[in-house]
Amino acid sequence: GLGASLVQNDASDNSIDQETRTCDINLDWQFIQPKNNRPGLSFSLRGERQETRDELFPENNSNPYQVFLGARIAWPVAYPKAY
């Protein structure tokens, strides 16, 4: 699957004049489908970027980003019914 979002915050009064934008994107890939008593494997890639612009205090301006790569193992276990 693929997902993305964008969040934007603006604040402007006499004490603050700042704008922050955050954007993230996720990509998930199911490599092996899990089945009863057999593990499955999926991979994910996630990126996030945040931009902050401050008109009153430019030293607070920033533009950090992060990238994450992950792997997940799912192992559904089925037990026999008790008689």
Side-chain angles (χ1 to χ4, degrees):
L2 178 67
S5 66
L6 173 65
V7 178
Q8 182 171 330
N9 295 318
D10 294 318
S12 181
D13 60 18
N14 291 332
S15 66
I16 188 170
D17 189 359
Q18 188 178 74
E19 179 178 287
T20 301
R21 291 183 186 145
T22 303
C23 179
D24 65 78
I25 188 166
N26 298 301
L27 177 63
D28 296 311
W29 179 45
Q30 183 93 33
F31 183 66
I32 300 172
Q33 183 74 27
K35 297 180 181 175
N36 284 347
N37 297 320
R38 296 188 65 182
L41 179 63
S42 63
F43 297 100
S44 63
L45 178 65
R46 178 175 179 243
E48 180 179 292
R49 180 177 178 265
Q50 183 176 39
E51 177 185 8
T52 301
R53 289 187 298 167
D54 192 325
E55 297 296 327
L56 295 178
F57 301 101
E59 63 272 10
N60 291 338
N61 292 348
S62 64
N63 193 11
Y65 61 90
Q66 300 177 33
V67 177
F68 300 96
L69 178 62
R72 182 176 32 220
I73 296 174
W75 197 330
V77 178
Y79 294 100
K81 291 182 180 180
Y83 293 102

